[in-house]
Amino acid sequence: MDDDGPLGPRELRAWLAFLEAAHLVEHEVQRQLKRDGGLSHADFEVLLKLRTADGRRLRMSDLARQAMISKSRLSYQITQLERAGLVRRTACDGDRRSVWAELTGAGAEALARVRPGHRRVVRDNLITQLSPEELDTLGDALGRVAERLRDA
Amino acid sequence: MDDDGPLGPRELRAWLAFLEAAHLVEHEVQRQLKRDGGLSHADFEVLLKLRTADGRRLRMSDLARQAMISKSRLSYQITQLERAGLVRRTACDGDRRSVWAELTGAGAEALARVRPGHRRVVRDNLITQLSPEELDTLGDALGRVAERLRDA
DNA sequence: AGCAGTTAGTTCAAATCCAAACCAACTACA
DNA sequence: TGTAGTTGGTTTGGATTTGAACTAACTGCT
């Protein structure tokens, strides 16, 4: 199975399904977040990470790592979110290079406003389409795939 | 299972794994295509669709639909690919609004050059990480997810 | 023929994204 | 100290993406 030829039919089917599902689900998620709160998916992930972080704040580079986005992109994002009042930059004493990105009250509200719809999109388009067994298999299998790439 | 509250732990696990795996695999795919052939993933998909199309050509709007990209984006893409000599625009007699996007020889070559590496990325990062059962389950489950969204 | 409504594709301005260059602050170590 | 190397973040310029406006061509109907 580690040959170099084209993918077999089962392999191809799985790959195409994965690719297409990822694409289409992502599209739905984006649409809902934009519609209900004017947020990009990246914005949403950033706010989410901050909300569950200790003190509702993270240093820029940790945030970038967790949200899987580049430093320069995060810098831009945070500027936009700051402009919208959803996030605040704070100096980090102890390391004057570092900057805290901190969730504001308005940021938490924006998140709360958007979240029910977000859950609904995830549930309607993914979760409820899968049997409980499939759900677990998906979690196992893709969890491994993600973990391996994350650590690399 | 169709309630409105937060996702359960199994559901959350599956969703996060799906999201992260999609993100990371996409990243690897992009990296390889860029490195080996200077192509974006969207470029690659476009060339691929054309290669298997009848007469190695498709009308712009059909191509956009199949490759899951917007009309304006495709228009830009094709201009770039045309500039690189990989694709050619041709008038479509029978409907003077329509335009054929047609794969050139150079386009087919570019595709051939990039493809082994692409297969390798897909295999190494996804296929070989899954058991045969998981592979089929993934194909079934995500195939349904994709089909449903595609038809909507 | 003439007109309203669609459809195919492009173009435009504004928003976003990326990679590389950059600056400042830290660390290690001679 | 001092100085080389690393790390955290921003900036910059160019490429890409988006959505809305636009043009041209087709269709159906009267």
Side-chain angles (χ1 to χ4, degrees):
Chain A
M1 291 305 152
D2 284 85
D3 55 332
D4 282 18
L7 300 179
R10 328 276 282 280
E11 300 172 334
L12 192 58
R13 195 173 77 97
W15 165 242
L16 292 181
F18 177 65
L19 199 58
E20 194 178 3
H23 217 291
L24 293 171
V25 169
E26 172 66 20
H27 196 267
E28 291 305 304
V29 168
Q30 283 179 3
R31 215 162 56 86
Q32 181 270 327
L33 291 173
K34 176 76 92 176
R35 175 166 50 76
D36 293 358
L39 298 175
S40 71
H41 192 183
D43 288 337
F44 179 75
E45 289 293 328
V46 161
L47 295 180
L48 214 47
K49 298 294 181 198
L50 289 179
R51 207 185 67 81
T52 54
D54 205 39
R56 285 189 163 181
R57 63 184 191 177
L58 286 170
R59 291 180 319 142
M60 294 293 279
S61 42
D62 293 332
L63 183 50
R65 234 185 315 282
Q66 287 190 33
M68 299 187 291
I69 60 186
S70 69
K71 292 195 303 174
S72 63
R73 186 173 167 189
L74 179 62
S75 202
Y76 175 77
Q77 297 267 5
I78 293 291
T79 302
Q80 297 308 96
L81 288 173
E82 208 172 13
R83 188 167 297 165
L86 308 186
V87 158
R88 182 172 33 238
R89 272 189 243 240
T90 330
C92 166
D93 50 85
D95 187 342
R96 277 180 302 173
R97 289 169 308 179
S98 298
V99 173
W100 291 110
E102 182 181 346
L103 191 65
T104 65
E109 281 165 32
L111 204 44
R113 192 161 50 247
V114 161
R115 239 176 145 192
H118 178 69
R119 284 202 193 103
R120 184 156 237 298
V121 169
V122 173
R123 236 198 275 275
D124 291 354
N125 293 294
L126 186 71
I127 305 294
T128 62
Q129 304 303 312
L130 275 42
S131 73
E133 296 74 39
E134 287 176 332
L135 196 79
D136 285 343
T137 301
L138 203 82
D140 290 345
L142 295 185
R144 260 170 10 241
V145 167
E147 188 187 12
R148 187 176 151 283
L149 280 167
R150 195 190 320 124
D151 298 346
Chain B
M1 290 302 159
D2 285 85
D3 55 335
D4 282 18
L7 299 179
R10 328 275 282 279
E11 298 171 335
L12 193 58
R13 196 172 77 97
W15 166 241
L16 292 181
F18 177 65
L19 199 60
E20 195 178 1
H23 216 290
L24 292 171
V25 169
E26 172 67 20
H27 195 267
E28 291 305 306
V29 167
Q30 282 179 4
R31 216 162 55 84
Q32 182 269 325
L33 290 173
K34 177 76 92 174
R35 177 165 50 76
D36 293 359
L39 298 175
S40 70
H41 192 183
D43 288 337
F44 179 74
E45 289 293 329
V46 161
L47 296 180
L48 215 47
K49 297 295 181 199
L50 290 180
R51 207 186 67 83
T52 53
D54 206 39
R56 286 188 162 182
R57 64 185 190 177
L58 285 169
R59 291 178 320 143
M60 294 294 278
S61 43
D62 293 331
L63 184 48
R65 235 185 316 282
Q66 287 190 32
M68 298 187 292
I69 61 187
S70 69
K71 291 196 302 173
S72 64
R73 185 174 169 189
L74 179 63
S75 202
Y76 177 78
Q77 297 267 6
I78 293 291
T79 302
Q80 297 308 98
L81 288 171
E82 208 171 12
R83 186 167 299 165
L86 309 186
V87 159
R88 183 172 31 239
R89 271 189 243 241
T90 330
C92 167
D93 51 84
D95 187 342
R96 275 180 304 171
R97 290 170 307 179
S98 299
V99 172
W100 292 111
E102 182 181 347
L103 191 64
T104 64
E109 281 165 31
L111 204 45
R113 193 162 48 247
V114 161
R115 242 177 142 189
H118 178 69
R119 283 200 194 107
R120 182 156 240 297
V121 168
V122 173
R123 237 198 274 275
D124 292 354
N125 292 294
L126 186 72
I127 305 295
T128 62
Q129 304 302 312
L130 275 42
S131 73
E133 296 75 37
E134 288 175 331
L135 195 79
D136 285 341
T137 301
L138 203 82
D140 289 345
L142 295 185
R144 258 169 12 240
V145 168
E147 187 185 13
R148 186 175 151 283
L149 282 166
R150 194 191 319 124
D151 297 346

